[in-house]
Amino acid sequence: MQVILLERIAKLGQMGDVVTVKDGFARNFLLPQGKALRATKENETHFETQRAQLEARNLELKSEAEAVGEKLAGQTFIAIRQAGDTGQLYGSVSSRDIAELATEGGYSVDRRQIVLTQPIKALGVHPVTIALHPEVEISINVNVARSDDEAERQARGEDVTVIRDEKLDLETFDPEADGQDFAEASADEQTGEVTGEEENPA
């Protein structure tokens, strides 16, 4: 399907461009969201009459987005989640969760503005891109931790799973040490038995 873009769409084109897209993408996203019009003669004429207004509105929205972006860029939001010893979450942090965290922090962010290829499924500080406007993208950090204390440690650059990994290493080392002691003890016993046998005939 051919459509006329009413705003800049990443990887598609600029406002006013006539582009070919899949029917489903046009019907489910571009048209209902008011981001494009079907490329008909009537719509092309309508777009040209509205172009100046659309461009002015776009500049206004872009300015608003830039103002919000200056305050929001680089902010860190903490998400408390349950996780296993290896740092894997029992669940995930989705774009909806991130939008809610930002909103709770005093910023108006819609989940559709969160650029997340897949949900976050591990502890740590994760950079996340937010598209406040088709031409304004900023980055925030989502600190996923099991507690506020862990979040503080992660914010300082500490890996909260390191200590647990070290304990696992020690546990695997102990049995080897026991095995060496056992081998040495067995060798002593065998030496003692041989000595005993030599003493008996005398």
Side-chain angles (χ1 to χ4, degrees), residues 13-158:
Q14 303 292 330
M15 179 190 293
D17 288 354
V18 176
V19 297
T20 302
V21 296
K22 291 182 179 179
D23 289 359
F25 183 56
R27 289 199 191 99
N28 299 327
F29 180 69
L30 294 177
L31 300 178
Q33 295 283 331
K35 296 179 182 293
L37 292 171
R38 286 176 182 272
T40 64
K41 287 289 183 186
E42 289 178 2
N43 282 341
E44 284 179 23
T45 304
H46 175 70
F47 171 76
E48 288 305 327
T49 60
Q50 299 292 316
R51 188 181 193 115
Q53 289 178 324
L54 287 168
E55 287 178 348
R57 178 64 178 151
N58 181 58
L59 281 173
E60 186 183 331
L61 292 172
K62 183 181 176 182
S63 297
E64 289 174 6
E66 285 173 341
V68 172
E70 284 178 10
K71 297 175 185 176
L72 183 57
Q75 293 285 340
T76 298
F77 299 94
I78 297 171
I80 303 299
R81 293 291 187 274
Q82 290 185 328
D85 290 346
T86 58
Q88 289 297 305
L89 301 186
Y90 300 138
S92 64
V93 178
S94 67
S95 55
R96 184 187 297 274
D97 297 325
I98 296 168
E100 287 175 359
L101 288 170
T103 302
E104 286 169 11
Y107 301 93
S108 181
V109 176
D110 188 275
R111 68 182 179 83
R112 290 171 295 190
Q113 294 176 306
I114 309 295
V115 183
L116 201 63
T117 52
Q118 59 184 16
I120 298 169
K121 296 185 177 180
L123 295 176
V125 180
H126 304 269
V128 174
T129 299
I130 300 181
L132 296 171
H133 178 273
E135 297 172 56
V136 181
E137 288 190 351
I138 56 100
S139 181
I140 63 167
N141 294 310
V142 179
N143 188 338
V144 185
R146 285 170 286 212
S147 66
D148 289 329
D149 176 58
E150 269 193 359
E152 286 178 18
R153 286 163 56 199
Q154 286 185 152
R156 292 195 299 265
E158 194 176 323

Side-chain angles (χ1 to χ4, degrees), residues 161-175:
T161 60
V162 168
I163 296 170
R164 295 177 183 279
D165 290 343
E166 286 175 357
K167 283 180 180 175
L168 290 172
D169 290 340
L170 290 173
E171 284 171 10
T172 44
F173 178 75
D174 287 344

